[in-house]
Amino acid sequence: MTTFVLIPGMCHGGWCFDELAEGLRAHGHRAHPLTLTGLSERGHLLHGGVNLDTHIQDVTGVLAAENIHDAVLVGHSYGGMVITGVADRMPDRVNALVYLDAMVPGDGDSCWSLVTDRERQWYTDVTASGYGVRPLPFFDTRATAHPLASLFQPIRLAGDLTQVRRRIYAYAAGWDGESPFTSVYQRLREDSAWTTYALDGGHNLMRDAPLEVLKILLDVG
């Protein structure tokens, strides 16, 4: 039995992993889909100080409280920032990292520094409070504003990802337009330390390629 901890991308809650979590549990695994502070059912906790460190602490707190070891951390999109930080802070608790069309930051990187101008323009569409970035119009109706500070805060890493033995990257090859993750995928597929996949789906791989994503995770588990 493997324990999967599932981290959503921007504006999404743990609900985006419902189908995937059910599939993992049906195969006898544990699945913890998390909603990060300030989002979805935790949206009432959004304030100007909710940043990337807050979200990393959300996950490290679950690993500690649930006494989870040998976790497989799965991060979609922005969630790649979070799982990287968690693995750096609690390497003894993490067995594998799975990035679903996600950011793979190095020390000092931020979401702002890693994306294209198109995404930066989106990041400036903030709510009246100034604390959050509005969901894009085509997002699920359950999507909520994403904490702005989490997109600008640089990640600070004491080590690197080599301390995690298994690292997997699943690239969405079906973007409508230019994908901000193409260069990440091209770099990692040349790195023998990574296992990479290109899936025929849009950015939301859990929705567009659920069976393929489930198979990748079952192979990891």
Side-chain angles (χ1 to χ4, degrees), residues 9-13 15 35-47 50 55 78 122-123 125-136 139-151:
M10 279 182 63
C11 302
H12 287 60
W15 49 262
T35 294
L36 300 172
T37 297
L39 291 141
S40 194
E41 73 272 17
R42 304 185 70 199
H44 62 289
L45 300 175
L46 178 59
H47 57 78
V50 176
H55 291 163
Y78 165 79
W122 170 30
Y123 291 178
D125 182 20
V126 299
T127 59
S129 69
Y131 298 156
V133 174
R134 291 186 177 92
L136 290 170
F139 279 8
D140 189 289
T141 56
R142 293 169 289 180
T144 56
H146 187 92
L148 178 65
S150 71
L151 306 177

Side-chain angles (χ1 to χ4, degrees), residues 63 68-73 83 86-88 90-97 163-165:
L63 296 185
I68 297 172
H69 296 266
D70 297 324
V72 175
L73 303 184
I83 65 172
V86 174
D88 184 70
M90 302 184 83
D92 56 320
R93 300 280 186 126
V94 179
N95 186 45
L97 294 170
Q163 58 196 323
V164 180
R165 182 172 58 87

Side-chain angles (χ1 to χ4, degrees), residues 14-52:
W15 49 262
C16 72
F17 289 112
D18 283 350
E19 182 178 355
L20 185 59
E22 288 177 7
L24 292 169
R25 290 166 183 151
H27 284 82
H29 300 296
R30 291 176 177 168
H32 293 268
L34 303 186
T35 294
L36 300 172
T37 297
L39 291 141
S40 194
E41 73 272 17
R42 304 185 70 199
H44 62 289
L45 300 175
L46 178 59
H47 57 78
V50 176
N51 58 20
L52 178 58

Side-chain angles (χ1 to χ4, degrees), residues 86-161:
V86 174
D88 184 70
R89 287 156 177 73
M90 302 184 83
D92 56 320
R93 300 280 186 126
V94 179
N95 186 45
L97 294 170
V98 181
Y99 294 80
L100 301 179
D101 213 40
M103 298 172 179
V104 183
D107 183 49
D109 287 334
S110 67
C111 288
W112 180 265
S113 72
L114 291 174
V115 298
T116 64
D117 288 341
R118 182 176 65 175
E119 283 74 36
R120 292 190 186 109
Q121 184 176 6
W122 170 30
Y123 291 178
T124 62
D125 182 20
V126 299
T127 59
S129 69
Y131 298 156
V133 174
R134 291 186 177 92
L136 290 170
F138 54 84
F139 279 8
D140 189 289
T141 56
R142 293 169 289 180
T144 56
H146 187 92
L148 178 65
S150 71
L151 306 177
F152 286 88
Q153 184 185 23
I155 193 168
R156 295 304 176 191
L157 304 174
D160 56 47
L161 294 182

Side-chain angles (χ1 to χ4, degrees), residues 2-7 56 59-60 63 70-76 78-106 155 157 159-171 188 193-197 213 216-221:
T2 300
T3 300
F4 293 87
V5 181
L6 311 169
I7 311 302
I56 293 170
V59 184
T60 58
L63 296 185
D70 297 324
V72 175
L73 303 184
V74 182
H76 175 242
Y78 165 79
M81 301 289 294
V82 179
I83 65 172
T84 301
V86 174
D88 184 70
R89 287 156 177 73
M90 302 184 83
D92 56 320
R93 300 280 186 126
V94 179
N95 186 45
L97 294 170
V98 181
Y99 294 80
L100 301 179
D101 213 40
M103 298 172 179
V104 183
I155 193 168
L157 304 174
D160 56 47
L161 294 182
T162 59
Q163 58 196 323
V164 180
R165 182 172 58 87
R166 292 188 293 173
R167 285 163 277 157
I168 296 92
Y169 196 91
Y171 170 68
L188 296 181
W194 287 78
T195 301
T196 60
Y197 302 87
V213 172
I216 289 170
L217 296 187
L218 291 176
D219 287 344
V220 175

